[in-house]
Structure formats: C-alpha cells, structure tokens
C-alpha cells in the first residue's frame, strides 16, 4: 500500500506541478490533511500555522528568480480538507509559486479540498502563480475542489495567475478576488474542462481602486457530455483604470454553460470591456481535419487541445 501511495503521489505531482520530485528551494507538501514535508530557502520561509490549518509563506524584499512549491494531495476517501495559506511578498520581489491540489479517490465516500489562499504583494512585487486541480481514480465517491484566492496588490505590484482544471473534478466552485492600488496589474488565465455530469463555477471579483490599475481576465472553457459550467465576473473601476474580461467556451453534447460577465464603472475615467462567446466546434474546422485523415473524435480532441493550450 505504501508503494501504491508513492506511485499515486508521483503521478499527481506530475499533473499539478509538472515535477516528479521537488527541486531545490522552498516547498511544502500537504498530504491527507497534514504537512509532511517542508523546506525553506535563503529568501523564502514557510511557517506552519499554530493550529495546523495552513502555512504562512514569507518572501524577502528583492528576491529574484526563486520558486516555491506548495501542492496538496489527498489519497483517502471521506476527507474534507480545508487549508488557509497566506503569502507575504516583499517589495520588488519576483518569484514563481506553484500550488494546486490533486485528489485520488477510489472509495464510496466523497473527498473534498478547500484551499483559501491570500496574497499580499508589497510595492513593486511580482508573482507568477500557477494553480492546477486534478481528480484521479475510479470511485463512486466524488472528488470536490473549491479554491478561494484573494489578492491584495500595493502600488506597482503585478500578479499573473494561471489556473487549470482539466481532469476528473466532479464539483468545483472556484472564486478569485482582487483589490488593486495605483498602477497594479492582475492578469488571470483560466482553462477548464468538464465532462460526464461534472459541475464547475468560476467567480471573479476584481476591484480597481488605484489610478492606473489594470486587470485582464481570460477564460477558456470546454463542457462535454452532460456537464454544467457557470462563469461569473465583476470588474469594478472606481478611478482611471482599465479592465478586460473575455470568456470563450466550447459546448458539446448535452452540456450547458452560463456566462454572466459584469463590469461596473464608478468613474468616468474607468475603461472596462467584457466579451463572452459560447458555441459548438465550427463545422468547417472539423471538416478540414477529417480531410487530413483524422476521425471525428481525433479531430475534436485536436481542436479542444489547441483551444485549451
């Protein structure tokens, strides 16, 4: 059984962090509700919360070209894991943080993980945040993931968030909130795929409260079979600022998608744009690939992979 868990852990790490083993540098692994491995670097310190519910990550000012990995893995059925992680990024730091959760469930009991991540970026700091969610294992029990990400950006700070949910998650409510001060930038790239009877809801709420603040939210979604998705976004501009929301979705079989993009301009100097497109795969695209020798499923997979790449 130990070997099986190690094999599952390695497979999930590859899916959610693109690694088999942790590289040198800061990392923290949470396995089945407990921290099991933690390493600090010279400039990144990971401190467990006293009540065991999460960690605080401290990045020193002016830290450059460093990464921190903080994945969560569940390999047992019937777990309801909730974790609170706070990220404190010093002035002018520039780092990469890789998170995400993978659930392996082979039981009749539901397993769930709720990750509440809060980022505090000081003046001029820059973070690329990669968050992936993955469900693994055949089971009657569901694999549920509902992350909440909260971002507070001081003057001139930049956050780039790449979030993916491409396999095996039965139920997800994914919430992202941001508050941006002067000349801060928040870029969000979401890619999500649902199939069978899965459900996923994405909620974005970004407030542009500083002059020159900007955000761009881009969502690419594919819904197959009888799955359901919802997309909700609200960008609020209270001053001279820029916001752009773009939601593109492919609908297949009997799936359903609801997109509700909202923009709220509370100043005549706010410039806000929203776009939403939902539709099936274009027949011309399929026909072209069929003439090249692909069958219909291969052609659909080729188009979807390109759309989500």
């Amino acid at each position: 059984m130990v070997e099986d868990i190690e094999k599952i852990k390695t497979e999930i790490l590859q899916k959610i962090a693109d690694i088999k083993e942790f590289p040198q540098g800061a990392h923290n692994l949470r396995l089945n509700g407990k921290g099991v491995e933690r390493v600090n670097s010279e400039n990144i310190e990971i401190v467990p919360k006293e009540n065991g519910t999460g960690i605080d990550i401290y990045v020193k000012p002016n830290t450059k070209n460093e990464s921190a990995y903080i994945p969560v893995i569940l390999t047992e059925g019937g777990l309801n894991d909730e974790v609170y992680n706070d990220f404190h990024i010093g002035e002018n730091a520039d780092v990469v943080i890789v998170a995400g959760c993978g659930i392996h469930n082979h039981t009749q009991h539901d397993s769930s993980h709720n990750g509440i991540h809060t980022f505090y970026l000081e003046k001029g700091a820059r973070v690329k945040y990669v968050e992936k969610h993955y469900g693994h294992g055949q089971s009657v029990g569901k694999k549920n993931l509902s992350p909440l990400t909260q971002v507070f950006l001081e003057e001139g700070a930049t956050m780039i968030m790449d979030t993916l949910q491409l396999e095996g998650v039965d139920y997800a409510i994914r919430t992202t909130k941001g508050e941006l001060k002067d000349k801060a930038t928040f870029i969000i790239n979401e890619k999500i795929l649902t199939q069978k009877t899965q459900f996923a809801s994405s909620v974005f709420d970004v407030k542009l409260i500083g002059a020159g603040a900007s955000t761009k939210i881009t969502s690419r979604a594919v819904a197959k079979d009888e799955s359901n998705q919802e997309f909700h976004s609200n960008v609020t501009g209270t001053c001279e600022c820029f916001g752009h929301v773009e939601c593109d979705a492919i609908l297949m079989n009997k799936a359903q998608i609801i997109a509700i993009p909202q923009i709220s301009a509370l100043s005549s100097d706010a410039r806000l744009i929203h776009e939403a497109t939902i539709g099936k795969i274009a027949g011309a695209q399929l026909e072209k690939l069929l003439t090249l020798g692909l069958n219909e499923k291969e052609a659909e997979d080729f188009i979807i992979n390109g759309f989500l790449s």
Side-chain angles (χ1 to χ4, degrees):
M1 185 64 181
V2 173
E3 293 181 358
D4 290 341
I5 291 177
E6 287 299 316
K7 183 179 179 180
I8 292 167
K9 185 177 78 172
T10 299
E11 180 177 342
I12 291 176
L13 280 175
Q14 286 182 282
K15 287 287 186 179
I16 65 176
D18 295 322
I19 56 173
K20 291 183 178 180
E21 298 178 352
F22 289 108
Q24 290 186 343
H27 68 262
N28 184 89
L29 174 62
R30 184 178 176 93
L31 177 64
N32 294 326
K34 298 179 180 179
V36 297
E37 185 174 341
R38 183 179 303 112
V39 174
N40 295 327
S41 71
E42 182 178 351
N43 296 306
I44 301 177
E45 182 181 14
I46 301 173
V47 180
K49 294 184 183 297
E50 291 184 0
N51 58 8
T53 60
I55 54 177
D56 285 279
I57 299 92
Y58 297 92
V59 178
K60 292 181 180 179
N62 301 306
T63 299
K64 307 290 184 184
N65 302 317
E66 289 199 31
S67 302
Y69 291 79
I70 56 162
V72 172
I73 296 175
L74 275 63
T75 64
E76 299 176 2
L79 288 178
N80 183 12
D81 185 33
E82 189 163 280
V83 61
Y84 296 81
N85 296 335
D86 296 327
F87 303 79
H88 310 269
I89 314 299
E91 282 193 22
N92 298 314
D94 189 347
V95 297
V96 176
I97 296 173
V98 180
C101 176
I103 296 180
H104 172 82
N105 191 355
H106 61 281
T107 74
Q108 296 182 345
H109 306 288
D110 295 353
S111 290
S112 64
H113 173 74
N114 300 323
I116 296 91
H117 290 182
T118 305
F119 288 82
Y120 304 94
L121 274 65
E122 297 298 329
K123 183 177 180 180
R126 180 182 177 90
V127 170
K128 181 173 183 181
Y129 176 54
V130 181
E131 182 182 69
K132 299 182 181 181
H133 298 104
Y134 170 63
H136 175 277
Q138 299 296 323
S139 64
V140 175
K142 293 183 177 180
K143 299 172 281 290
N144 303 326
L145 290 163
S146 292
L148 167 61
T149 304
Q150 303 174 105
V151 177
F152 298 92
L153 302 181
E154 295 294 330
E155 180 182 351
T158 298
M159 175 90 160
I160 300 172
M161 178 176 173
D162 292 342
T163 176
L164 294 90
Q165 180 181 307
L166 300 182
E167 291 183 68
V169 179
D170 295 300
Y171 179 90
I173 297 179
R174 306 148 53 84
T175 305
T176 304
K177 300 181 179 182
E179 186 175 290
L180 284 62
K181 294 187 178 179
D182 294 359
K183 298 180 180 178
T185 301
F186 190 16
I187 298 172
I188 304 170
N189 300 303
E190 176 190 63
K191 297 174 184 177
I192 181 168
L193 182 149
T194 55
Q195 54 194 357
K196 300 179 181 178
T197 58
Q198 296 168 355
F199 171 82
S201 174
S202 297
V203 181
F204 300 97
D205 186 2
V206 179
K207 293 178 172 59
L208 307 171
I209 63 174
S214 65
T215 187
K216 183 175 183 181
I217 301 170
T218 304
S219 176
R220 298 282 184 270
V222 176
K224 294 182 175 182
D225 304 321
E226 296 180 350
S227 65
N228 284 266
Q229 291 189 32
E230 295 179 1
F231 174 88
H232 303 265
S233 67
N234 183 21
V235 174
T236 302
T238 64
C239 54
E240 182 272 315
C241 59
F242 176 77
H244 185 189
V245 180
E246 180 182 343
C247 170
D248 288 338
I250 291 177
L251 197 59
M252 302 175 66
N253 313 118
K254 297 180 179 180
Q256 298 181 6
I257 296 177
I258 297 172
I260 307 175
Q262 177 178 324
I263 50 178
S264 304
L266 307 184
S267 166
S268 59
D269 294 321
R271 189 158 62 98
L272 308 177
I273 302 167
H274 73 67
E275 305 173 73
T277 304
I278 301 173
K280 63 182 181 181
I281 295 174
Q285 289 180 296
L286 278 175
E287 290 176 7
K288 183 175 181 180
L289 292 172
L290 292 174
T291 62
L292 296 176
L294 277 67
N295 61 41
E296 186 170 348
K297 184 180 184 308
E298 290 171 338
E300 288 179 346
D301 289 344
F302 184 86
I303 293 170
I304 290 170
N305 289 336
F307 181 72
L308 293 175
S309 64

